[in-house]
Amino acid sequence: MTWQAYGSIVIGSVLLALYSVFTKKTLSAGWKKREALLTTLITGTCAIMLFATCWATGGPKIKPGFWFPVLATGVLNIGIQYLNTLAKSKEEVSLVTPIAASTPVIVIFTSMVMLGEYPSKIGWAGIYLLVIGSYVLNMQPYVDKVRKQEGVASWKHWLTPFLIMSKSAGIRLAFGAAILGAISLNWDGLSSRNANVAFGRGVVWTITAIGSLMIALAKKEIPGAPISWKFYFSTICFLALLYGGCSWFNSSAYLGAIVPYVGTLKRLAIPLTIIFAYLLIGEKTNFRNRLTGGMIMAAGAVLVGIS
């Protein structure tokens, strides 16, 4: 992995963390139950910005092997979004979210099959540390809740998503989304390497915007939505700028790193989101309890960086 690719992912993770925090703030301000419509507006605007960036940086520069991966990952992103939303409607969010931590482990094997890309021994260790740290961070809210209710939490509570998988449709749907994500990351890598990165991501977010719009129409989210030109230019454009920048930086990293490394290091956005949520919107978090997960992720990030 080149240091340029590593730095690109770090910048992308910072932008993604900021995007997550400000999106949550927007959802709390009249957009709950209109997630698909908000996604449509953001990804559609994102696509416009990326296409503009593409033409300002020399055009599409399309190579053979571009169109199938970019169309495939665009369609899969719609499925991933839908499965994650459905999973959260059927199971506690605190149990569904940690499942995403399994994606980097799965992508190791999908990348071997689809692209023939293999992490080094140090890279393997870094990926597993990042996955474990990410899982610990995401499970912490659930374990804290159990400890508060029952006075104590055992190792079984940390493994709850796996222990209840056969009984929980929400957990199974979340794993389905993780598997689709592990496949999609490989096509993200191919589309980024076979065209101008901005053009490829613009195509992906156009497909996602169309799919999200269809979902929004089916759920009847548009009537009564608090949309105005002021809201669009002050909020949507700002969120699209953060998300588009994150998308461009993360995808650019595929030019200097294998897919498993990029897919794993994206998880750096998780601890950054916790920090920014506390600093920017006053969301209180028990940093002491989450310190372990953050330190494990930091160690994993260092190992991946030097691999």
Side-chain angles (χ1 to χ4, degrees):
M1 160 171 255
T2 65
W3 285 108
Q4 291 89 339
Y6 191 86
S8 187
I9 298 175
V10 171
I11 295 172
S13 297
V14 170
L15 293 176
L16 180 57
L18 289 170
Y19 169 78
S20 299
V21 170
F22 286 114
T23 301
K24 184 172 183 178
K25 185 177 181 180
T26 301
L27 286 169
S28 300
W31 280 84
K32 285 185 177 179
K33 298 184 179 180
R34 289 193 173 92
E35 295 88 350
L37 178 57
L38 185 63
T39 301
T40 301
L41 293 171
I42 293 171
T43 53
T45 305
C46 222
I48 294 171
M49 291 179 175
L50 287 165
F51 284 135
T53 302
C54 164
W55 293 112
T57 54
K61 302 177 183 177
I62 299 172
K63 300 176 184 177
F66 166 75
W67 283 109
F68 177 77
V70 78
L71 294 175
T73 194
V75 172
L76 280 182
N77 269 286
I78 298 172
I80 293 166
Q81 175 193 330
Y82 179 72
L83 287 180
N84 277 325
T85 301
L86 197 59
K88 290 174 184 176
S89 71
K90 294 180 177 293
E91 186 56 79
E92 288 186 52
V93 174
S94 58
L95 291 177
V96 169
T97 303
I99 303 304
S102 63
T103 300
V105 175
I106 303 171
V107 81
I108 293 174
F109 301 102
T110 59
S111 292
M112 287 180 180
V113 174
M114 296 173 67
L115 304 178
E117 295 185 348
Y118 300 81
S120 66
K121 291 181 179 179
I122 294 177
W124 273 87
I127 288 172
Y128 278 115
L129 284 176
L130 274 160
V131 168
I132 293 170
S134 174
Y135 182 84
V136 169
L137 272 177
N138 282 310
M139 277 300 295
Q140 192 69 59
Y142 175 77
V143 175
D144 286 344
K145 184 178 72 172
V146 170
R147 189 177 289 114
K148 185 177 181 180
Q149 292 174 344
E150 302 180 13
V152 64
S154 70
W155 63 269
K156 289 185 178 181
H157 293 111
W158 287 98
L159 299 177
T160 297
F162 299 95
L163 297 177
I164 68 170
M165 189 186 305
S166 62
K167 301 177 182 179
S168 173
I171 297 296
R172 293 195 297 273
L173 288 167
F175 270 112
I179 292 171
L180 291 184
I183 296 171
S184 176
L185 282 170
N186 293 284
W187 282 327
D188 280 346
L190 286 176
S191 62
S192 297
R193 294 165 184 169
N194 289 318
N196 184 318
V197 172
F199 180 75
R201 300 318 297 171
V203 173
V204 169
W205 296 131
T206 298
I207 296 171
T208 304
I210 294 171
S212 298
L213 178 59
M214 294 171 68
I215 294 173
L217 290 171
K219 294 174 63 179
K220 298 180 180 179
E221 291 184 4
I222 296 179
I227 302 174
S228 66
W229 286 112
K230 180 179 179 182
F231 171 78
Y232 179 81
F233 285 107
S234 65
T235 302
I236 297 299
C237 288
F238 173 65
L239 292 175
L241 186 63
L242 290 175
Y243 201 45
C246 153
S247 177
W248 186 86
F249 277 107
N250 282 338
S251 296
S252 295
Y254 288 117
L255 304 180
I258 62 174
V259 170
Y261 291 166
V262 178
T264 304
L265 282 174
K266 286 181 181 180
R267 298 300 183 276
L268 288 174
I270 298 171
L272 290 173
T273 299
I274 295 171
I275 295 170
F276 289 147
Y278 178 80
L279 295 175
L280 298 176
I281 61 176
E283 186 173 287
K284 295 182 179 180
T285 305
N286 193 327
F287 284 100
R288 184 176 180 180
N289 284 353
R290 298 197 177 194
L291 184 61
T292 301
M295 290 179 66
I296 295 172
M297 290 190 72
V302 170
L303 291 178
V304 170
I306 64 176
S307 61

